[in-house]
């Protein structure tokens, strides 16, 4: 049931590993990058609770959550094809906006899908399996530009702003996205509501935009205490990750490869190596996903998640201490451990406290505590970079480690 996350992660990993570089290829300055990433949190803030609300109230011949998986995958795959052909910064930013909205349409119902389909004692295993497929997809997607250059001999054409290795990677990512989601849709059967007539009658009682808004705000007002506690942890965790995604790739190019600017061949080599490092942390995520369920059973979910965040923080802070490109693998190993837990433990801790009939809407609301920090990061980190950090991209990555801690 989680195989579709393999494809969804192609969409996320390709943008996380390459969008900052694409923006800089097209002429963006380091302090402009956070604002250009604003598309992702704004679309998540608007789309996820609405999609959660709608999917809670949906039952079709295809199922409850699966129609949303499929529509989002089709739209996102189209955007992945167009993205590396962007000719201006604002064209790329507009495509990122549509891409993120489409990925959110696919991704949010996948979280509720596990809660729908599995008994409580299997929730940790279910969300860990999502981490497994996310890690596997990210390994391949993040490494694609490096593989294109070093295994398949793809070289950049002089007249192209965006590297040919990045361009082909996005095309392959589009095919993987739609293919993996279609596999889940075709092979997984959803359970219908226990009383379908009562489900339809309840749905008809509350229809329209106002009723939907009332239910979303009502759910926010009635958030369980456990959700408030876990959300506070999310609120500090995710800005640390965003700083890594904003700046790790250009930091590798400038700090480790000493590239003078985006037009330098050293910069392209740095971008490709950063993609390989991202693939490595995803490989660690992929492997560590197997260890999470027994670890959580032994130590508890809360302690397990706390330890994993500390390991990730040490990894990010160590990026600034690395003196050669191979040391980055040790740094990214720590990030991989944290990422595996971030993708599973908060949801496994949360889902037992939520009403089953409102899993979709609450998963969408939980996403607020990911996207609101990202909005703050997008609006504020550019000023921070320019005025406090001297546009030092490696310092920004280290600050991300401090936030995880």
């Amino acid at each position: 049931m989680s195989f579709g996350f393999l494809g969804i992660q192609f969409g996320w990993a390709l943008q996380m590993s390459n969008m900052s570089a694409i923006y800089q290829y097209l002429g963006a300055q380091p302090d402009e990058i956070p604002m250009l990433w604003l598309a992702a949190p704004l679309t998540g803030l608007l789309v996820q609770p609405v999609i959660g609300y709608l999917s809670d109230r949906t039952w079709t011949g295809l199922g409850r959550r699966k129609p949303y998986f499929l529509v989002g995958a089709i739209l996102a795959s189209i955007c992945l094809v167009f993205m590396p052909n962007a000719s201006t910064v604002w064209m790329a930013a507009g495509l990122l906006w549509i891409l993120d909205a489409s990925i959110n349409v696919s991704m949010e119902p996948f979280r509720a899908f596990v809660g729908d389909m599995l008994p409580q004692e299997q929730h940790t295993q279910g969300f860990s399996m999502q981490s497994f497929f996310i890690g596997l997809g990210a390994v391949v997607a993040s490494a694609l530009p490096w593989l294109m250059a070093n295994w398949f001999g793809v070289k950049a054409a002089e007249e192209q702003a965006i590297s040919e290795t990045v361009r082909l990677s996005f095309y392959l990512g589009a095919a993987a996205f739609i293919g993996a989601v279609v596999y889940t849709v075709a092979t997984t059967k959803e359970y219908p509501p226990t009383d379908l007539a009562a489900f339809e009658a309840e749905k008809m009682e509350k229809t329209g935009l106002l009723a939907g808004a009332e239910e979303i705000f009502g759910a926010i007002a009635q958030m369980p205490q456990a959700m408030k506690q876990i959300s506070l942890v999310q609120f500090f965790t995710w800005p640390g990750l965003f700083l890594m995604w904003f700046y790790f790739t250009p930091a590798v190019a400038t700090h480790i490869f000493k590239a003078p600017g985006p037009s330098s061949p050293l910069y392209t080599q740095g971008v490709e190596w950063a993609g390989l490092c991202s693939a490595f942390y995803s490989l660690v995520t992929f492997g560590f996903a197997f260890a999470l369920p027994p670890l959580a059973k032994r130590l508890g979910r809360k302690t397990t998640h706390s330890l994993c965040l500390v390991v990730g923080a040490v990894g990010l802070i160590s990026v600034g201490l690395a003196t050669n490109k191979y040391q980055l693998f040790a740094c990214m190993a720590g990030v991989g451990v944290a990422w595996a837990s971030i993708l599973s433990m908060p949801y496994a801790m949360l889902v037992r406290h939520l009403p089953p009939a409102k899993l979709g809407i609450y998963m969408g609301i939980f996403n607020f505590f990911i996207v609101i920090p990202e909005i703050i990061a997008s609006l504020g980190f550019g000023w921070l970079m320019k005025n406090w950090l001297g546009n030092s991209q490696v310092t920004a990555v280290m600050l991300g480690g401090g936030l995880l801690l």
Side-chain angles (χ1 to χ4, degrees):
M1 74 178 69
S2 294
F3 188 78
F5 246 115
L6 179 75
I8 290 173
Q9 193 56 29
F10 267 80
W12 281 126
L14 283 168
Q15 64 163 281
M16 295 304 180
S17 297
N18 296 287
M19 279 311 302
S20 290
I22 286 174
Y23 285 143
Q24 291 196 359
Y25 282 135
L26 295 172
Q29 298 303 309
D31 60 288
E32 296 172 336
I33 287 175
M35 184 65 76
L36 292 168
W37 277 87
L38 191 59
L42 283 179
T43 51
L45 187 66
L46 298 172
V47 169
Q48 289 219 13
V50 173
I51 293 299
Y53 167 74
L54 292 175
S55 68
D56 282 341
R57 296 162 56 83
T58 294
W59 186 257
T60 69
L62 197 58
R64 169 178 285 172
R65 315 291 181 185
K66 291 194 294 185
Y68 299 92
F69 302 166
L70 190 58
V71 170
I74 292 168
L75 295 174
S77 297
I78 292 170
C79 290
L80 286 170
V81 170
F82 282 101
M83 179 65 77
N85 294 294
S87 56
T88 66
V89 168
W90 292 109
M91 181 179 176
L95 283 167
L96 181 63
W97 201 292
I98 302 169
L99 174 64
D100 276 327
S102 305
I103 293 175
N104 276 295
V105 169
S106 273
M107 186 182 72
E108 195 284 331
F110 258 104
R111 299 294 191 193
F113 197 40
V114 168
D116 291 342
M117 303 284 282
L118 295 179
Q120 188 179 107
E121 63 269 18
Q122 292 183 5
H123 284 158
T124 299
Q125 185 179 352
F127 288 114
S128 295
M129 187 55 61
Q130 288 190 349
S131 293
F132 168 84
F133 280 114
I134 288 170
L136 179 60
V139 168
V140 181
S142 300
L144 274 175
W146 184 89
L147 292 172
M148 289 288 176
N150 292 275
W151 284 21
F152 301 106
V154 176
K155 301 299 179 187
E158 291 296 328
E159 69 277 5
Q160 290 177 338
I162 297 171
S163 167
E164 187 70 12
T165 58
V166 171
R167 191 185 307 271
L168 293 176
S169 297
F170 272 74
Y171 296 160
L172 287 173
F177 197 138
I178 189 67
V181 170
V182 165
Y183 178 83
T184 286
V185 170
T187 59
T188 309
K189 182 179 179 180
E190 289 190 80
Y191 302 127
T194 307
D195 188 337
L196 191 56
F199 175 82
E200 292 294 341
E202 184 181 352
K203 186 169 70 172
M204 293 305 295
E205 286 178 7
K206 294 182 178 180
T207 58
L209 186 62
L210 184 60
E214 284 179 359
E215 188 157 347
I216 291 171
F217 284 109
I220 293 171
Q222 297 168 17
M223 273 198 301
Q225 181 63 23
M227 182 172 175
K228 294 177 182 177
Q229 293 170 323
I230 300 166
S231 297
L232 187 61
V233 176
Q234 296 286 83
F235 190 86
F236 286 97
T237 298
W238 282 85
L241 295 173
F242 298 140
L243 278 169
M244 178 185 72
W245 291 324
F246 289 165
Y247 290 118
F248 177 73
T249 295
V252 172
T254 56
H255 176 65
I256 300 296
F257 282 76
K258 310 298 182 186
S263 60
S264 165
L266 287 172
Y267 192 89
T268 299
Q269 292 174 29
V271 168
E272 292 166 356
W273 190 263
L276 198 61
C277 292
S278 296
F280 181 75
Y281 90 68
S282 299
L283 182 64
V284 173
T285 297
F286 164 80
F288 193 69
F290 291 104
L292 272 175
L295 197 61
K297 188 175 182 180
R298 183 178 181 85
L299 300 177
R301 292 166 177 168
K302 182 172 68 172
T303 301
T304 298
H305 190 50
S306 300
L307 291 173
C308 290
L309 289 179
V310 170
V311 171
V314 171
L316 284 180
I317 292 169
S318 298
V319 169
L321 307 177
T323 56
N324 66 68
K325 62 183 183 180
Y326 299 104
Q327 292 173 358
L328 293 173
F329 289 118
C331 302
M332 290 296 102
V335 174
V337 168
W339 186 225
S341 186
I342 290 165
L343 293 170
S344 54
M345 285 299 109
Y347 300 97
M349 287 188 280
L350 174 67
V351 73
R352 66 173 60 191
H353 299 283
L354 301 180
K358 294 186 177 182
L359 273 182
I361 192 170
Y362 270 113
M363 287 296 181
I365 292 168
F366 191 54
N367 191 60
F368 285 175
F369 300 95
I370 296 173
V371 298
I372 291 174
E374 188 176 1
I375 291 171
I376 294 170
S378 297
L379 294 174
F381 282 167
W383 180 88
L384 189 69
M385 279 290 291
K386 190 172 185 178
N387 294 283
W388 279 28
L389 303 182
N391 277 338
S392 171
Q393 295 172 108
V394 71
T395 305
V397 173
M398 296 175 72
L399 178 60
L403 287 170
L404 253 66
L405 196 57

